[in-house]
Amino acid sequence: MKMATHPIRNRCSDNWTNVSFISVSSILLLLLATVCPSVHAKDCVFDSPCSCTFDDGSGTMDITSIGRQDNTPLIDDVFAADNFAYSFNPCFAFTEGTCVNAAACQFDSANVIYYNIGDSQNVQFSFDGLNVVGTYIADDQQRTSTVTFVCDPSADPPQTVVNGETAAGLYSFQITSKAACPTGGTGPTGKPIGPSGKITVSVGITAGTVMTIIFFSVLVTYLVVGMVVNKFARHQSGKEIIPNLAVWTGLIILVREGFSFVLSKVRRREYVPIK
């Protein structure tokens, strides 16, 4: 009786190639999952109602110098597009009508009603990627004012913009001032930051760069190891040494067909004149 023979070597090689493809994909996903949580967004940490410090060493934004201390606001009854008048003063509380110990106040001139829209002591600071944003919550917890502090070393005195009520219970202001520029830090380079607030930033490796390096490193390793196995273990040659050749060929075909489909739709589009 003759025993059937099977190409065990080729079957094992096929299994190894498939397993290697799955393993490489799993490793890549694991590395990306490890890198992504490590991305840290720059923030400005609250110090006082007048200042916050950047957590990357960029310095401290201190707006004490632009806050008035005579019970009058920096922005004093300026009308916005919603026909209400608004007042705002950073750091130091003011009183206007029924707005007591306020940082921000809305005045309804038609009905002579004042609304506290931001308490001077209930302040939070954040960084939106470009500017520090102060969030002032009213004592009734129903109204909130956001103030965007834009750094401009030449803005003295401050330049102000009143946007008014941008959504129900939400009010917006903007103050451009040299006081909004960070000072006193060491900066990313370790060098002190001057009063101009200008920071010399050395461009370093980012999370996106790390992810790209990891991706191509794993891809190259996968291709090289797969080609070595196909060449010496499976004794293949030519394009057959590329691991999972059918997968890559199918992917290229799908991409090509996708472009062809889009181009065909564009080329067949008929011009319809406007009557």
Side-chain angles (χ1 to χ4, degrees):
M1 180 181 294
K2 293 183 179 181
M3 299 296 292
T5 59
H6 302 279
I8 297 177
R9 176 185 297 178
N10 290 342
R11 182 174 299 177
C12 291
S13 298
D14 290 337
N15 291 339
W16 186 92
T17 304
N18 292 333
V19 170
S20 66
F21 179 78
I22 296 173
S23 299
V24 168
S25 302
S26 300
I27 292 173
L28 178 59
L29 291 175
L30 179 60
L31 289 174
L32 293 180
T34 303
V35 171
C36 289
S38 65
V39 178
H40 174 68
K42 177 179 177 180
D43 200 6
C44 201
V45 181
F46 180 89
D47 291 328
S48 73
C50 299
S51 65
C52 64
T53 300
F54 287 102
D55 57 3
D56 67 344
S58 300
T60 298
M61 184 204 72
D62 191 336
I63 52 177
T64 304
S65 61
I66 62 174
R68 294 184 179 177
Q69 302 185 50
D70 58 357
N71 200 38
T72 61
L74 173 67
I75 299 175
D76 191 2
D77 286 335
V78 176
F79 278 86
D82 57 9
N83 293 322
F84 290 98
Y86 292 89
S87 300
F88 173 79
N89 194 54
C91 297
F92 307 103
F94 69 93
T95 297
E96 180 180 356
T98 56
C99 294
V100 180
N101 294 325
C105 183
Q106 180 194 53
F107 176 51
D108 180 355
S109 59
N111 299 296
V112 193
I113 301 175
Y114 295 87
Y115 299 96
N116 186 322
I117 58 173
D119 189 87
S120 62
Q121 296 302 311
N122 197 349
V123 189
Q124 301 172 359
F125 290 111
S126 60
F127 184 67
D128 64 3
L130 293 174
N131 307 295
V132 174
V133 178
T135 301
Y136 299 79
I137 303 173
D139 50 7
D140 63 0
Q141 305 294 315
Q142 301 300 312
R143 298 176 175 85
T144 299
S145 295
T146 60
V147 183
T148 301
F149 295 99
V150 180
C151 168
D152 183 349
S154 64
D156 187 21
Q159 302 168 5
T160 62
V161 176
V162 178
N163 298 314
E165 189 169 11
T166 56
L170 297 177
Y171 309 87
S172 173
F173 302 82
Q174 178 177 298
I175 296 178
T176 302
S177 170
K178 68 177 185 178
C181 300
T183 60
T186 57
T189 61
K191 297 180 180 180
I193 300 173
S196 67
K198 295 181 178 179
I199 307 170
T200 302
V201 179
S202 58
V203 178
I205 191 169
T206 63
T209 303
V210 172
M211 293 167 63
T212 303
I213 292 173
I214 291 174
F215 173 79
F216 283 105
S217 297
V218 173
L219 179 62
V220 170
T221 302
Y222 159 71
L223 290 174
V224 171
V225 173
M227 292 171 69
V228 169
V229 171
N230 287 340
K231 176 69 175 179
F232 297 102
R234 302 181 61 183
H235 304 288
Q236 294 183 346
S237 60
K239 64 180 182 180
E240 297 299 327
I241 68 173
I242 300 176
N244 290 290
L245 177 61
V247 174
W248 301 113
T249 303
L251 179 62
I252 293 173
I253 293 174
L254 287 175
V255 172
R256 185 179 62 187
E257 290 180 349
F259 277 110
S260 299
F261 176 77
V262 174
L263 289 176
S264 66
K265 290 296 183 182
V266 174
R267 290 172 180 172
R268 292 177 183 175
R269 181 179 298 171
E270 298 181 356
Y271 175 72
V272 179
I274 300 176
K275 296 180 179 180

